[in-house]
Amino acid sequence: LRLVSRPPQPGIAVIAVDDRSIGVIGRWPWRRALPAQLLQNVSRQQPLVIGMDVLFNEEDLDYPEDDLLLADAVARSGRVVLPVMQRQGPYDPGDGADRPIAALEQAAARLGHVHVAADEDGVVRSLYTREGPASAPWQHFSMAMRCVATPSLGGCPPARWSDPPADGARWERAGRRLIPYAGGPGHFTTYSYIDVLRGEVPAAAFRGKYV
């Protein structure tokens, strides 16, 4: 991997939940008013797409108004992809997935699964472009982001299936693809979560980018 390292794609920017952010804000999980504010700050710069890889699959019973704030921020952006994860076990009632709460799912531009495939030695070298019930699989998170950013490229399934899968649908995987790693951690342009919240990033840090 070191031998094939290449310059990072300039159209990608990462916002990291890093140690400095946790030191300032406090332990995870954070109130959902914070990602709502983050989305507003990023959306003002008109990114191509925002992939928020945090699973909000339960309502916030302590601060229910925060769920509404976050759903509103997601809807106003119109370019947010949220994650889906498989529940434990090959079978499960419904579609077998942990997904965002209903208000967030409806507000999101798309959902995408966030799994990668570890080999027997524990190293991740590949992913599956589609996972979920055979009748209605989700794209990988990265592919869902591409479909929001550049739908004209084609190959994008409906953002929402009109006919949900039957109860007990088996989870399947298809379209295995090797990951073309560009470099190690920190290779892509990365901003601290707390800096984005405070607006302490360049005025065009996210403009026209995959965030």
Side-chain angles (χ1 to χ4, degrees):
L1 287 175
R2 285 192 297 269
L3 290 174
V4 299
S5 179
R6 61 188 187 279
Q9 165 58 250
I12 295 173
V14 177
I15 300 173
V17 179
D18 55 6
D19 289 340
R20 191 164 70 85
S21 298
I22 292 172
V24 174
I25 298 171
R27 280 186 171 183
W28 189 270
W30 299 333
R31 282 191 58 170
R32 294 177 185 176
L34 294 179
Q37 182 61 54
L38 183 98
L39 281 179
Q40 291 178 34
N41 292 355
V42 175
S43 296
R44 288 191 194 102
Q45 294 194 11
Q46 299 180 321
L48 286 176
V49 59
I50 305 170
M52 182 166 278
D53 188 9
V54 180
L55 182 61
F56 302 105
N57 62 329
E58 295 180 352
E59 294 181 354
D60 189 335
L61 300 181
D62 294 325
Y63 303 100
E65 66 278 7
D66 283 15
D67 286 340
L68 299 178
L69 285 173
L70 182 54
D72 182 67
V74 171
R76 285 177 181 273
S77 171
R79 311 196 69 76
V80 177
V81 176
L82 293 176
V84 172
M85 294 183 68
Q86 182 184 16
R87 294 197 192 106
Q88 293 294 322
Y91 292 95
D92 192 270
D95 56 23
D98 275 326
R99 54 209 295 168
I101 60 173
L104 290 175
E105 181 173 350
Q106 289 301 313
R110 282 184 178 268
L111 303 181
H113 81 83
V114 291
H115 302 145
V116 290
D119 294 333
E120 291 183 359
D121 59 4
V123 177
V124 171
R125 299 181 177 89
S126 61
L127 55 80
Y128 288 88
T129 58
R130 298 181 304 282
E131 287 196 25
S135 59
W138 286 281
Q139 292 177 294
H140 189 267
F141 195 74
S142 58
M143 305 291 287
M145 288 182 67
R146 185 196 69 93
C147 282
V148 172
T150 52
S152 61
L153 291 179
C156 299
R160 291 173 179 81
W161 299 100
S162 56
D163 297 318
D167 285 353
R170 183 180 178 87
W171 189 281
E172 297 185 0
R173 305 189 298 180
R176 182 173 180 266
R177 179 174 294 185
L178 291 173
I179 300 171
Y181 286 109
H187 194 64
F188 290 89
T189 301
T190 302
Y191 299 95
S192 176
Y193 202 105
I194 188 64
D195 289 341
V196 180
L197 272 181
R198 290 172 168 171
E200 296 175 352
V201 296
F206 308 117
R207 189 176 306 279
K209 293 184 179 181
Y210 287 76
V211 181

mmCIF file of all heavy atoms in Angstrom, residues 175-205:
data_model
loop_
_atom_site.group_PDB
_atom_site.id
_atom_site.type_symbol
_atom_site.label_atom_id
_atom_site.label_comp_id
_atom_site.label_asym_id
_atom_site.label_seq_id
_atom_site.Cartn_x
_atom_site.Cartn_y
_atom_site.Cartn_z
ATOM 1 N N GLY A 175 -21.789 -7.454 -5.708
ATOM 2 C CA GLY A 175 -20.947 -6.411 -6.284
ATOM 3 C C GLY A 175 -19.688 -6.148 -5.486
ATOM 4 O O GLY A 175 -19.373 -4.996 -5.182
ATOM 5 N N ARG A 176 -18.935 -7.217 -5.186
ATOM 6 C CA ARG A 176 -17.698 -7.030 -4.419
ATOM 7 C C ARG A 176 -16.715 -6.180 -5.221
ATOM 8 O O ARG A 176 -16.521 -6.380 -6.410
ATOM 9 C CB ARG A 176 -17.066 -8.384 -4.087
ATOM 10 C CG ARG A 176 -15.792 -8.276 -3.241
ATOM 11 C CD ARG A 176 -15.332 -9.671 -2.813
ATOM 12 N NE ARG A 176 -14.130 -9.613 -2.003
ATOM 13 C CZ ARG A 176 -12.895 -9.733 -2.485
ATOM 14 N NH1 ARG A 176 -12.716 -9.949 -3.788
ATOM 15 N NH2 ARG A 176 -11.852 -9.666 -1.687
ATOM 16 N N ARG A 177 -16.078 -5.232 -4.536
ATOM 17 C CA ARG A 177 -15.152 -4.319 -5.196
ATOM 18 C C ARG A 177 -13.948 -4.078 -4.284
ATOM 19 O O ARG A 177 -14.103 -3.797 -3.100
ATOM 20 C CB ARG A 177 -15.859 -2.999 -5.506
ATOM 21 C CG ARG A 177 -14.971 -1.963 -6.166
ATOM 22 C CD ARG A 177 -15.751 -0.739 -6.581
ATOM 23 N NE ARG A 177 -16.717 -1.041 -7.628
ATOM 24 C CZ ARG A 177 -17.452 -0.122 -8.239
ATOM 25 N NH1 ARG A 177 -17.329 1.158 -7.904
ATOM 26 N NH2 ARG A 177 -18.316 -0.466 -9.179
ATOM 27 N N LEU A 178 -12.762 -4.184 -4.858
ATOM 28 C CA LEU A 178 -11.556 -3.867 -4.099
ATOM 29 C C LEU A 178 -11.479 -2.366 -3.841
ATOM 30 O O LEU A 178 -11.882 -1.561 -4.684
ATOM 31 C CB LEU A 178 -10.305 -4.327 -4.849
ATOM 32 C CG LEU A 178 -10.107 -5.839 -4.963
ATOM 33 C CD1 LEU A 178 -8.925 -6.143 -5.868
ATOM 34 C CD2 LEU A 178 -9.891 -6.459 -3.583
ATOM 35 N N ILE A 179 -10.977 -1.991 -2.679
ATOM 36 C CA ILE A 179 -10.875 -0.583 -2.309
ATOM 37 C C ILE A 179 -9.540 -0.030 -2.810
ATOM 38 O O ILE A 179 -8.480 -0.521 -2.421
ATOM 39 C CB ILE A 179 -10.966 -0.422 -0.779
ATOM 40 C CG1 ILE A 179 -12.309 -0.965 -0.278
ATOM 41 C CG2 ILE A 179 -10.798 1.044 -0.383
ATOM 42 C CD1 ILE A 179 -12.413 -1.048 1.234
ATOM 43 N N PRO A 180 -9.554 0.976 -3.657
ATOM 44 C CA PRO A 180 -8.299 1.555 -4.163
ATOM 45 C C PRO A 180 -7.722 2.567 -3.176
ATOM 46 O O PRO A 180 -7.853 3.780 -3.336
ATOM 47 C CB PRO A 180 -8.737 2.226 -5.471
ATOM 48 C CG PRO A 180 -10.147 2.638 -5.208
ATOM 49 C CD PRO A 180 -10.738 1.591 -4.284
ATOM 50 N N TYR A 181 -7.094 2.059 -2.136
ATOM 51 C CA TYR A 181 -6.552 2.945 -1.105
ATOM 52 C C TYR A 181 -5.594 3.970 -1.704
ATOM 53 O O TYR A 181 -4.778 3.645 -2.564
ATOM 54 C CB TYR A 181 -5.821 2.138 -0.040
ATOM 55 C CG TYR A 181 -6.748 1.376 0.890
ATOM 56 C CD1 TYR A 181 -6.853 -0.014 0.822
ATOM 57 C CD2 TYR A 181 -7.508 2.053 1.835
ATOM 58 C CE1 TYR A 181 -7.692 -0.705 1.673
ATOM 59 C CE2 TYR A 181 -8.347 1.372 2.690
ATOM 60 C CZ TYR A 181 -8.442 -0.009 2.617
ATOM 61 O OH TYR A 181 -9.282 -0.689 3.447
ATOM 62 N N ALA A 182 -5.698 5.202 -1.212
ATOM 63 C CA ALA A 182 -4.791 6.256 -1.670
ATOM 64 C C ALA A 182 -3.643 6.477 -0.692
ATOM 65 O O ALA A 182 -2.563 6.924 -1.081
ATOM 66 C CB ALA A 182 -5.558 7.561 -1.865
ATOM 67 N N GLY A 183 -3.880 6.203 0.583
ATOM 68 C CA GLY A 183 -2.855 6.422 1.597
ATOM 69 C C GLY A 183 -3.380 6.102 2.974
ATOM 70 O O GLY A 183 -4.504 5.620 3.121
ATOM 71 N N GLY A 184 -2.586 6.372 3.988
ATOM 72 C CA GLY A 184 -2.942 6.039 5.350
ATOM 73 C C GLY A 184 -3.835 7.090 6.007
ATOM 74 O O GLY A 184 -4.300 8.036 5.354
ATOM 75 N N PRO A 185 -4.083 6.943 7.310
ATOM 76 C CA PRO A 185 -4.919 7.908 8.040
ATOM 77 C C PRO A 185 -4.378 9.326 7.898
ATOM 78 O O PRO A 185 -3.167 9.561 7.913
ATOM 79 C CB PRO A 185 -4.820 7.421 9.492
ATOM 80 C CG PRO A 185 -4.512 5.966 9.381
ATOM 81 C CD PRO A 185 -3.631 5.837 8.174
ATOM 82 N N GLY A 186 -5.287 10.272 7.726
ATOM 83 C CA GLY A 186 -4.889 11.662 7.571
ATOM 84 C C GLY A 186 -4.452 12.034 6.168
ATOM 85 O O GLY A 186 -4.012 13.168 5.935
ATOM 86 N N HIS A 187 -4.572 11.110 5.216
ATOM 87 C CA HIS A 187 -4.119 11.368 3.848
ATOM 88 C C HIS A 187 -4.997 12.417 3.158
ATOM 89 O O HIS A 187 -4.500 13.227 2.377
ATOM 90 C CB HIS A 187 -4.121 10.053 3.067
ATOM 91 C CG HIS A 187 -3.380 10.108 1.773
ATOM 92 N ND1 HIS A 187 -2.022 10.329 1.694
ATOM 93 C CD2 HIS A 187 -3.806 9.963 0.490
ATOM 94 C CE1 HIS A 187 -1.650 10.319 0.425
ATOM 95 N NE2 HIS A 187 -2.709 10.100 -0.327
ATOM 96 N N PHE A 188 -6.304 12.364 3.448
ATOM 97 C CA PHE A 188 -7.223 13.323 2.848
ATOM 98 C C PHE A 188 -7.344 14.563 3.729
ATOM 99 O O PHE A 188 -7.127 14.507 4.940
ATOM 100 C CB PHE A 188 -8.601 12.684 2.646
ATOM 101 C CG PHE A 188 -8.625 11.630 1.577
ATOM 102 C CD1 PHE A 188 -8.357 10.309 1.881
ATOM 103 C CD2 PHE A 188 -8.893 11.964 0.260
ATOM 104 C CE1 PHE A 188 -8.356 9.333 0.900
ATOM 105 C CE2 PHE A 188 -8.907 10.998 -0.730
ATOM 106 C CZ PHE A 188 -8.631 9.680 -0.414
ATOM 107 N N THR A 189 -7.709 15.668 3.129
ATOM 108 C CA THR A 189 -7.896 16.911 3.879
ATOM 109 C C THR A 189 -8.914 16.689 4.984
ATOM 110 O O THR A 189 -10.047 16.274 4.718
ATOM 111 C CB THR A 189 -8.378 18.032 2.943
ATOM 112 O OG1 THR A 189 -7.417 18.224 1.915
ATOM 113 C CG2 THR A 189 -8.567 19.327 3.723
ATOM 114 N N THR A 190 -8.511 16.961 6.215
ATOM 115 C CA THR A 190 -9.350 16.662 7.373
ATOM 116 C C THR A 190 -9.472 17.884 8.271
ATOM 117 O O THR A 190 -8.486 18.567 8.548
ATOM 118 C CB THR A 190 -8.763 15.487 8.175
ATOM 119 O OG1 THR A 190 -8.653 14.338 7.316
ATOM 120 C CG2 THR A 190 -9.649 15.121 9.359
ATOM 121 N N TYR A 191 -10.719 18.138 8.712
ATOM 122 C CA TYR A 191 -10.997 19.239 9.624
ATOM 123 C C TYR A 191 -11.574 18.685 10.923
ATOM 124 O O TYR A 191 -12.324 17.703 10.912
ATOM 125 C CB TYR A 191 -11.988 20.230 9.003
ATOM 126 C CG TYR A 191 -11.487 20.871 7.736
ATOM 127 C CD1 TYR A 191 -11.820 20.346 6.491
ATOM 128 C CD2 TYR A 191 -10.671 21.997 7.776
ATOM 129 C CE1 TYR A 191 -11.360 20.931 5.317
ATOM 130 C CE2 TYR A 191 -10.200 22.584 6.611
ATOM 131 C CZ TYR A 191 -10.553 22.042 5.385
ATOM 132 O OH TYR A 191 -10.083 22.619 4.228
ATOM 133 N N SER A 192 -11.252 19.318 12.022
ATOM 134 C CA SER A 192 -11.780 18.918 13.317
ATOM 135 C C SER A 192 -13.243 19.343 13.451
ATOM 136 O O SER A 192 -13.622 20.453 13.052
ATOM 137 C CB SER A 192 -10.949 19.555 14.434
ATOM 138 O OG SER A 192 -11.486 19.252 15.695
ATOM 139 N N TYR A 193 -14.054 18.471 14.009
ATOM 140 C CA TYR A 193 -15.479 18.737 14.203
ATOM 141 C C TYR A 193 -15.700 20.064 14.924
ATOM 142 O O TYR A 193 -16.544 20.879 14.526
ATOM 143 C CB TYR A 193 -16.067 17.588 15.021
ATOM 144 C CG TYR A 193 -17.558 17.370 14.905
ATOM 145 C CD1 TYR A 193 -18.065 16.305 14.163
ATOM 146 C CD2 TYR A 193 -18.469 18.185 15.567
ATOM 147 C CE1 TYR A 193 -19.436 16.065 14.079
ATOM 148 C CE2 TYR A 193 -19.831 17.962 15.490
ATOM 149 C CZ TYR A 193 -20.304 16.904 14.736
ATOM 150 O OH TYR A 193 -21.663 16.683 14.659
ATOM 151 N N ILE A 194 -14.933 20.305 15.978
ATOM 152 C CA ILE A 194 -15.133 21.510 16.769
ATOM 153 C C ILE A 194 -14.798 22.756 15.964
ATOM 154 O O ILE A 194 -15.459 23.801 16.110
ATOM 155 C CB ILE A 194 -14.300 21.460 18.082
ATOM 156 C CG1 ILE A 194 -14.648 22.632 18.999
ATOM 157 C CG2 ILE A 194 -12.811 21.406 17.803
ATOM 158 C CD1 ILE A 194 -16.071 22.630 19.487
ATOM 159 N N ASP A 195 -13.824 22.672 15.069
ATOM 160 C CA ASP A 195 -13.477 23.832 14.241
ATOM 161 C C ASP A 195 -14.598 24.152 13.259
ATOM 162 O O ASP A 195 -14.883 25.326 12.990
ATOM 163 C CB ASP A 195 -12.171 23.579 13.487
ATOM 164 C CG ASP A 195 -10.958 23.593 14.403
ATOM 165 O OD1 ASP A 195 -11.059 24.133 15.518
ATOM 166 O OD2 ASP A 195 -9.905 23.049 13.999
ATOM 167 N N VAL A 196 -15.234 23.114 12.708
ATOM 168 C CA VAL A 196 -16.346 23.342 11.783
ATOM 169 C C VAL A 196 -17.532 23.935 12.532
ATOM 170 O O VAL A 196 -18.212 24.841 12.040
ATOM 171 C CB VAL A 196 -16.739 22.037 11.066
ATOM 172 C CG1 VAL A 196 -17.897 22.288 10.101
ATOM 173 C CG2 VAL A 196 -15.549 21.455 10.311
ATOM 174 N N LEU A 197 -17.799 23.437 13.738
ATOM 175 C CA LEU A 197 -18.885 23.991 14.552
ATOM 176 C C LEU A 197 -18.664 25.470 14.831
ATOM 177 O O LEU A 197 -19.596 26.278 14.786
ATOM 178 C CB LEU A 197 -18.981 23.240 15.880
ATOM 179 C CG LEU A 197 -19.857 21.991 15.957
ATOM 180 C CD1 LEU A 197 -19.829 21.417 17.370
ATOM 181 C CD2 LEU A 197 -21.290 22.301 15.539
ATOM 182 N N ARG A 198 -17.435 25.828 15.125
ATOM 183 C CA ARG A 198 -17.112 27.215 15.466
ATOM 184 C C ARG A 198 -16.929 28.097 14.238
ATOM 185 O O ARG A 198 -16.740 29.311 14.365
ATOM 186 C CB ARG A 198 -15.829 27.244 16.299
ATOM 187 C CG ARG A 198 -15.991 26.668 17.701
ATOM 188 C CD ARG A 198 -14.639 26.538 18.395
ATOM 189 N NE ARG A 198 -14.764 26.253 19.813
ATOM 190 C CZ ARG A 198 -13.740 25.931 20.606
ATOM 191 N NH1 ARG A 198 -12.509 25.842 20.094
ATOM 192 N NH2 ARG A 198 -13.931 25.687 21.890
ATOM 193 N N GLY A 199 -16.974 27.516 13.053
ATOM 194 C CA GLY A 199 -16.776 28.292 11.835
ATOM 195 C C GLY A 199 -15.331 28.665 11.598
ATOM 196 O O GLY A 199 -15.037 29.608 10.858
ATOM 197 N N GLU A 200 -14.414 27.908 12.206
ATOM 198 C CA GLU A 200 -12.988 28.216 12.100
ATOM 199 C C GLU A 200 -12.314 27.380 11.010
ATOM 200 O O GLU A 200 -11.315 26.702 11.236
ATOM 201 C CB GLU A 200 -12.324 27.995 13.458
ATOM 202 C CG GLU A 200 -12.864 28.944 14.534
ATOM 203 C CD GLU A 200 -12.317 28.656 15.919
ATOM 204 O OE1 GLU A 200 -11.630 27.608 16.080
ATOM 205 O OE2 GLU A 200 -12.585 29.445 16.844
ATOM 206 N N VAL A 201 -12.906 27.403 9.818
ATOM 207 C CA VAL A 201 -12.350 26.725 8.649
ATOM 208 C C VAL A 201 -12.415 27.703 7.478
ATOM 209 O O VAL A 201 -13.168 28.686 7.530
ATOM 210 C CB VAL A 201 -13.130 25.430 8.314
ATOM 211 C CG1 VAL A 201 -12.998 24.413 9.434
ATOM 212 C CG2 VAL A 201 -14.599 25.732 8.042
ATOM 213 N N PRO A 202 -11.634 27.472 6.410
ATOM 214 C CA PRO A 202 -11.686 28.380 5.256
ATOM 215 C C PRO A 202 -13.092 28.522 4.695
ATOM 216 O O PRO A 202 -13.906 27.591 4.758
ATOM 217 C CB PRO A 202 -10.747 27.714 4.252
ATOM 218 C CG PRO A 202 -9.787 26.933 5.098
ATOM 219 C CD PRO A 202 -10.593 26.435 6.262
ATOM 220 N N ALA A 203 -13.385 29.669 4.138
ATOM 221 C CA ALA A 203 -14.737 29.976 3.658
ATOM 222 C C ALA A 203 -15.199 29.053 2.538
ATOM 223 O O ALA A 203 -16.404 28.910 2.309
ATOM 224 C CB ALA A 203 -14.795 31.427 3.196
ATOM 225 N N ALA A 204 -14.263 28.435 1.820
ATOM 226 C CA ALA A 204 -14.626 27.527 0.729
ATOM 227 C C ALA A 204 -14.082 26.120 0.982
ATOM 228 O O ALA A 204 -13.837 25.369 0.042
ATOM 229 C CB ALA A 204 -14.118 28.058 -0.599
ATOM 230 N N ALA A 205 -13.941 25.747 2.236
ATOM 231 C CA ALA A 205 -13.359 24.444 2.566
ATOM 232 C C ALA A 205 -14.174 23.288 1.997
ATOM 233 O O ALA A 205 -13.621 22.248 1.634
ATOM 234 C CB ALA A 205 -13.243 24.306 4.088
#
